Amino acid sequence: MSETNGAGAAPASFDAFKPVAREAPAPGEESIFSTGSWPAVPPATLPPAPPEPPARPRRLRRAARAVVLLVTAVALVAVTIGVQVWDRSVWVGARYPAEVVTDVPRLQGAPLHGMTWRADLSVRPRALGDDPGVTSVVATVEVTPASAEQIAGYLTPDFEMRDRTGRRWQALPSGTLTQLDLRAGMTSRLTVVATVPNAVRDTAELVLAYSPREMLRFAR
Amino acid sequence: MLRRLARSLINAVVALVVIAAAVYAHTFTMDQDDLDAPLSTRAAAGSAAATGRFSARLGKVVAASSLRLLTTTTEPVSGRVMILGTTRVGTPDVFVVTTVSATSSGAPTRLADAWLRTADGVEYAATDRVGPEFTLADRPVQDGWWVDVVFVFEVPREALPGSSVVVTAPSSNGIYDEIYPGRYDQLLPEAVLAVAPDDAAAKRILDDVKSSWQLVAKE
């Protein structure tokens, strides 16, 4: 059976020319494009809008954000300054290295620069005209080269007297010991003289140094 | 929407302002003169100026129109002092012979450099016409006792009112001062010791100018 759309249904009678009874819209409601009024459509049921957040949590959130920003800013500044301080301390540390001092027990020897060093300190008796507040300390320093190669590289080290509070006093060799004076395995002597305050004449120690990292401190 | 855009704009402007301020803050750096400026400690005549590395006080101040430099030795047997040589040094201006007592705190130091600084900031170096054997200016200044060093300045008379002796310790930067001259701040301590704080003091010194003042070197 062939069927076309609507072919089987009895067509409703429709007279396009028959006027339809319509209610006139209320004045002002009708659009100029409106062809007539339509039955009112009930409004769609919209989901209820979320309630406005109360004012207090919003302020709290803002305050929290401000605190986080502040802490971040402070941390950034601290890191910036810290990096510069660290960089400077590395620079200073590389050029002014911390001292490495080897303590030598009393009347014992210690190796440094291929030599064995030993020192014996004594207080010089007071002479007429000496400053009453100071004392001369004389150190006999013995140096024994390990080999001829070490003698070739020998240089007179620096000497000074120190106490354990960080005070230092000049100590000068009274003579000169050159490479020609040294023999491998044989002990040569050098006299070092220093002036120190009376208060430390028995406690100040002789320090022998080639560099800040090569130092010997002879215990009294 | 508009409010969010405005807020973003404000944030961007604030960030730019902060960045600009940070960059501008980097212009607040010390120039070379500021970096080289020493840390001055002042003291009136007779009182000590204590810097971090040394303390100094001004003792005797003498003005002289000439200096007699005596080189002496002591005979070991008899103990007699013998004069080995004499030199006379004159000036058309005036020699100001100052004795400075000094002590150090911690490490030995030498106060070999000294200036006479006038009231208007002109500096006169200690004269090189008198050797260190006469002034002992190169002797070490050490912790625990005071030593006297002499500085001699050859200056015009009008330089004295308001003048000071300025003593400074040498740099402790070692070889880096020579490798990178002007690169590093020194912050060297200096003691500024008033010689003639006012016209009256200067007048007292200049009214008593010695015709000759003797400095002795012992061999």
Side-chain angles (χ1 to χ4, degrees):
Chain A
M1 157 182 159
S2 70
E3 191 175 76
T4 58
N5 283 343
S13 64
F14 176 70
D15 184 0
F17 298 99
K18 186 180 177 184
V20 178
R22 292 178 180 157
E23 289 177 6
E29 284 183 4
E30 192 178 2
S31 162
I32 56 170
F33 303 109
S34 173
T35 54
S37 66
W38 302 90
V41 176
T45 313
L46 294 172
E52 281 290 310
R56 181 179 280 179
R58 189 181 297 169
R59 274 205 304 270
L60 273 177
R61 220 167 43 214
R62 276 187 187 163
R65 183 192 288 175
V67 167
V68 168
L69 277 176
L70 190 68
V71 168
T72 308
V74 169
L76 277 176
V77 169
V79 167
T80 306
I81 294 172
V83 165
Q84 294 186 40
V85 169
W86 172 80
D87 178 59
R88 187 66 178 176
S89 64
V90 167
W91 186 94
V92 170
R95 284 155 183 78
Y96 303 95
E99 290 183 344
V100 177
V101 183
T102 305
D103 282 305
V104 184
R106 183 177 147 73
L107 298 181
Q108 288 191 22
L112 187 67
H113 268 220
M115 314 270 170
T116 301
W117 300 90
R118 185 177 169 278
D120 185 17
L121 275 70
S122 60
V123 174
R124 180 182 277 177
R126 182 171 298 284
L128 197 66
D130 279 358
D131 189 328
V134 298
T135 302
S136 289
V137 176
V138 180
T140 303
V141 178
E142 296 179 352
V143 51
T144 310
S147 66
E149 289 77 31
Q150 303 297 343
I151 294 173
Y154 170 79
L155 290 171
T156 305
D158 291 328
F159 295 98
E160 65 180 8
M161 298 292 290
R162 289 188 181 188
D163 70 0
R164 294 294 175 119
T165 64
R167 296 189 299 168
R168 301 186 286 167
W169 296 275
Q170 179 179 269
L172 295 173
S174 67
T176 313
L177 202 59
T178 67
Q179 296 174 5
L180 299 174
D181 302 317
L182 300 174
R183 297 281 181 275
M186 291 185 64
T187 298
S188 302
R189 285 175 183 79
L190 185 65
T191 302
V192 178
V193 181
T195 302
V196 298
N198 289 338
V200 298
R201 68 180 177 189
D202 296 321
T203 54
E205 296 162 307
L206 181 73
V207 172
L208 179 157
Y210 275 107
S211 73
R213 296 193 161 275
E214 300 168 305
M215 306 177 87
L216 296 178
R217 179 167 53 198
F218 299 95
R220 295 292 294 274
Chain B
M1 179 74 177
L2 261 180
R3 224 166 59 187
R4 187 175 294 172
L5 192 69
R7 187 185 291 169
S8 299
L9 201 65
I10 289 170
N11 285 346
V13 168
V14 168
L16 279 176
V17 167
V18 169
I19 291 169
V23 172
Y24 181 61
H26 278 75
T27 63
F28 296 118
T29 53
M30 292 193 292
D31 59 19
Q32 197 57 49
D33 287 342
D34 292 333
L35 288 171
D36 288 343
L39 301 174
S40 299
T41 307
R42 296 171 191 284
S47 58
T51 70
R53 287 174 60 187
F54 67 91
S55 298
R57 64 169 173 249
L58 186 63
K60 195 170 189 175
V61 178
V62 174
S65 54
S66 73
L67 299 173
R68 187 169 173 243
L69 307 178
L70 239 65
T71 306
T72 65
T73 187
T74 305
E75 274 190 352
V77 179
S78 63
R80 252 182 44 199
V81 175
M82 294 178 62
I83 297 174
L84 297 177
T86 307
T87 307
R88 186 172 290 276
V89 182
T91 177
D93 298 310
V94 66
F95 285 117
V96 179
V97 184
T98 60
T99 304
V100 173
S101 300
T103 185
S104 88
S105 47
T109 189
R110 291 173 198 275
L111 309 177
D113 294 327
W115 295 268
L116 189 131
R117 188 177 292 163
T118 65
D120 49 0
V122 177
E123 290 184 340
Y124 295 92
T127 181
D128 58 355
R129 300 177 71 189
V130 182
E133 66 272 24
F134 297 98
T135 62
L136 300 179
D138 60 348
R139 70 195 299 193
V141 173
Q142 306 201 68
D143 191 306
W145 66 95
W146 292 75
V147 295
D148 288 345
V149 292
V150 173
F151 298 111
V152 182
F153 305 95
E154 187 179 355
V155 296
R157 289 170 173 256
E158 55 270 23
L160 266 182
S163 62
S164 303
V165 171
V166 180
V167 187
T168 183
S171 162
S172 58
N173 285 341
I175 59 170
Y176 296 108
D177 278 340
E178 294 173 18
I179 297 174
Y180 309 108
R183 165 68 180 79
Y184 303 111
D185 49 324
Q186 303 290 308
L187 300 178
L188 289 178
E190 70 171 22
V192 182
L193 311 168
V195 172
D198 50 27
D199 290 349
K203 187 173 182 305
R204 274 198 301 275
I205 295 171
L206 291 174
D207 283 350
D208 192 22
V209 174
K210 315 288 184 193
S211 58
S212 178
W213 188 256
Q214 184 172 289
L215 294 170
V216 180
K218 294 173 185 170
E219 281 198 347

